[in-house]
Amino acid sequence: MTALSVSTSAAASLRADALVIGVAKGPKGIVLAPGAEAVAEAFEGKLAEVLGTLGAAGAEGETVKVPAPAGLKAALVLAVGLGDAAEGGYELEALRRAAGVAARTLAGAKKVALALPAESADEIEAVALGALLGTYAFGTYKSNGNGGKEPVGELVLLSTRKGSKDAKAAVERALVVGEEMNRARDLVNTAPNDLNPKSFAAIAQAAAKEHGLKIEVLDEKALLKGGFGGLLGVGNGSVNPPRLVKVAYTHPKAKASLAFVGKGITYDSGGISLKPAGHNETMKCDMAGAAAVFAAVVSAKRLGLQVNVTAWLALAENMPSGSATRPGDVLRMYGGKTVEVLNTDAEGRLVLADAIVRAGEEKPDVIVDVATLTGAMMMALGSRTFGVMANADELRDTLHAAAGEVGEQSWPMPLPAELRKGMTESTVADLANMGERMGGGLVAGLFLKEFVAEGIDWAHLDIAGPAFHEGAPFGYTPKGGTASAVRTLVRFAEQKAAGGKA
């Protein structure tokens, strides 16, 4: 695990394998960002010229390595691009991404000093979090570990604010959120032959014990006794039976109660409605919602937020077999509603429905579910933006704003009443699990809304696009699991802790 510390040492005097500075695109060429002053002095004022000669332009994500001159104790200078120069300070997301690029680029180094803009508490947190996320590597199944290069061993963030209370809090928050996001990434990246509902529940139990959280695990027998038809219906085709996991954090002074519900399909073959080749190779990521809510509740506990947070992990494996649910089957969901299954590959909404009803029994102020739910949302918003739906516009807008504050891309989406009709026209059940083809992501949201208890504010985050990154790494985002929505949930919990009842 990468160590992180803050130092007030002068950049020139700190011994490190590499010293990271920020550069940006100015109207007349490269602009050095705050923090690079000592390095510029060591280059006798010619640093920008040297970097320009080497092809640097300051573009976001760009990196240029330069051997350190006499006057610097570091062996190497890494200039990382921040994008367009900003007189009033750089955007926090630009700092996160630059720190992430630097940490990934310098994999294998034992000690790296970060001389990026980091004078305010928000800037310190952004640089620290971006760097920690950038060190992430998943080498569990590789015989040579991470491909021969270990993550950076130690990160030293240079700032004059080291001893201040808000700076300490910023670093602590970055450590907690970064570690829990990387835990979520590990879960998403773990092969489905190793991560199934039972083993996921065991991981949650171990973390709950470590951090003093209350946990309850319902196995297949308890689910059958309780009437959780959605979870059982989805899990029937697998040799790995489903689980419903409740992980609860309570604060004695809390005035608000939040329930985070996560879709946890540890592998989604589509069931009898089998996915075609080319669409099932990454379906180990279909439990990213459960990983996100799990990381969020652990983060809330570690940060000591003055709010009650309960995570509900709806875990199942969707497989075809002689015992699998068939198209045309009718499931009696937890709470009594019946659902005609028209497509077994629309399974996420079935497990979530059970969990949403169960979460609602505890009368939280707000329920937020998180799920890699629909390909339709990816078609609408692309691979980096998640959709936000809610039964209250204010809640939807609050979550959209919270996502923006922490650097996650989201977009508010409607729940058009006319799309409900297709689901309610089943001749044999209360609802069908499919509706109109157009607007499929919105139809899925409307289905979930049917299971929210009256008087409870509810929101749905469809993270199908950003939960699993299949392209080349960028910023602090690796290839594979990303831990999408974790930061948004934590920020939302912080807001409710500060503002009381939701």
Side-chain angles (χ1 to χ4, degrees):
M1 183 180 297
T2 300
L4 172 68
S5 62
V6 179
S7 175
T8 56
S9 298
S13 63
L14 188 68
R15 293 188 182 277
D17 296 302
L19 178 62
V20 178
I21 62 169
V23 295
K25 296 167 62 177
K28 297 182 180 180
I30 292 175
V31 175
L32 302 180
E37 295 84 1
V39 180
E41 185 178 341
F43 275 87
E44 299 180 348
K46 296 182 179 181
L47 177 57
E49 181 181 340
V50 170
L51 292 173
T53 301
L54 294 172
E60 181 181 322
E62 173 189 271
T63 58
V64 176
K65 294 179 180 178
V66 184
L72 295 181
K73 294 293 180 67
L76 177 76
V77 173
L78 176 71
V80 59
L82 294 167
D84 292 333
E87 291 184 5
Y90 290 90
E91 292 187 1
L92 299 179
E93 181 64 3
L95 297 179
R96 288 187 201 99
R97 292 189 179 188
V101 168
R104 186 173 59 254
T105 301
L106 295 169
K110 292 182 178 180
K111 185 176 181 179
V112 170
L114 300 166
L116 294 167
E119 290 309 307
S120 72
D122 287 342
E123 288 175 338
I124 290 171
E125 182 185 330
V127 172
L129 179 58
L132 286 170
L133 295 176
T135 64
Y136 178 80
F138 186 75
T140 300
Y141 300 108
K142 293 193 174 184
S143 56
N144 63 344
N146 295 316
K149 285 189 175 182
E150 292 296 318
V152 173
E154 180 183 0
L155 294 164
V156 181
L157 195 158
L158 301 180
S159 174
T160 59
R161 295 285 299 278
K162 175 186 176 182
S164 67
K165 185 177 180 180
D166 58 349
K168 290 180 179 178
V171 172
E172 177 60 23
R173 187 182 187 280
L175 279 168
V176 169
V177 175
E179 288 174 2
E180 294 309 321
M181 284 182 66
N182 285 341
R183 185 206 298 268
R185 289 170 167 183
D186 280 347
L187 286 166
V188 174
N189 289 329
T190 299
N193 56 316
D194 285 332
L195 189 73
N196 55 51
K198 183 178 180 180
S199 60
F200 196 151
I203 290 170
Q205 286 174 313
K209 182 178 180 180
E210 177 185 357
H211 296 292
L213 293 158
K214 293 182 179 179
I215 188 166
E216 178 185 0
V217 178
L218 299 185
D219 63 13
E220 66 273 26
K221 293 180 181 178
L223 293 172
L224 180 61
K225 183 178 180 180
F228 290 86
L231 276 157
L232 290 168
V234 173
N236 271 348
S238 174
V239 295
N240 297 305
R243 297 285 188 272
L244 179 62
V245 180
K246 173 187 175 183
V247 186
Y249 161 64
T250 57
H251 191 285
K253 296 183 180 180
K255 295 181 180 180
S257 177
L258 308 176
F260 295 157
V261 179
K263 172 187 173 184
I265 304 300
T266 56
Y267 182 76
D268 182 19
S269 70
I272 297 297
S273 306
L274 194 67
K275 292 179 185 289
H279 291 78
N280 56 17
E281 291 81 0
T282 61
M283 282 298 100
K284 65 180 182 179
C285 78
D286 215 17
M287 37 57 65
V293 301
F294 175 47
V297 72
V298 177
S299 295
K301 172 61 169 67
R302 293 180 62 185
L303 293 171
L305 301 184
Q306 194 170 308
V307 62
N308 294 335
V309 181
T310 302
W312 298 86
L313 284 56
L315 308 177
E317 187 175 60
N318 188 24
M319 298 291 286
S321 74
S323 60
T325 293
R326 299 159 288 256
D329 283 356
V330 175
L331 304 178
R332 186 170 296 278
M333 311 294 285
Y334 184 73
K337 280 191 173 117
T338 55
V339 174
E340 181 183 11
V341 179
L342 299 181
N343 186 333
T344 64
D345 196 23
E347 83 299 329
R349 64 199 71 182
L350 299 175
V351 301
L352 285 172
D354 273 1
I356 287 171
V357 175
R358 176 64 189 90
E361 290 180 337
E362 301 199 351
K363 306 297 182 184
D365 297 298
V366 179
I367 296 174
V368 181
D369 78 69
V370 185
T372 48
L373 204 60
T374 64
M377 196 57 64
M378 292 182 68
M379 293 292 289
L381 299 178
S383 61
R384 294 190 184 184
T385 304
F386 62 77
V388 185
M389 288 155 265
N391 62 1
D393 289 350
E394 184 179 357
L395 174 60
R396 180 195 63 199
D397 295 344
T398 295
L399 284 163
H400 173 53
E405 288 174 13
V406 296
E408 294 204 271
Q409 295 173 224
S410 70
W411 197 251
M413 302 293 283
L415 290 171
E418 66 272 16
L419 292 180
R420 181 176 179 271
K421 185 179 179 182
M423 296 185 299
T424 58
E425 290 182 336
S426 171
T427 59
V428 296
D430 298 325
L431 294 167
N433 77 328
M434 296 291 289
E436 291 189 27
R437 182 169 178 268
M438 298 301 172
L442 311 183
V443 170
L446 285 164
F447 179 89
L448 296 176
K449 184 182 176 184
E450 295 288 322
F451 295 87
V452 180
E454 187 175 349
I456 296 178
D457 285 346
W458 156 84
H460 163 56
L461 310 184
D462 190 337
I463 62 170
F468 195 84
H469 180 57
E470 295 187 64
F474 68 95
Y476 50 79
T477 301
K479 189 168 185 175
T482 64
S484 177
V486 173
R487 285 176 289 162
T488 298
L489 294 176
V490 174
R491 175 53 56 89
F492 181 63
E494 288 173 329
Q495 291 172 343
K496 295 311 172 189
K501 192 174 179 66

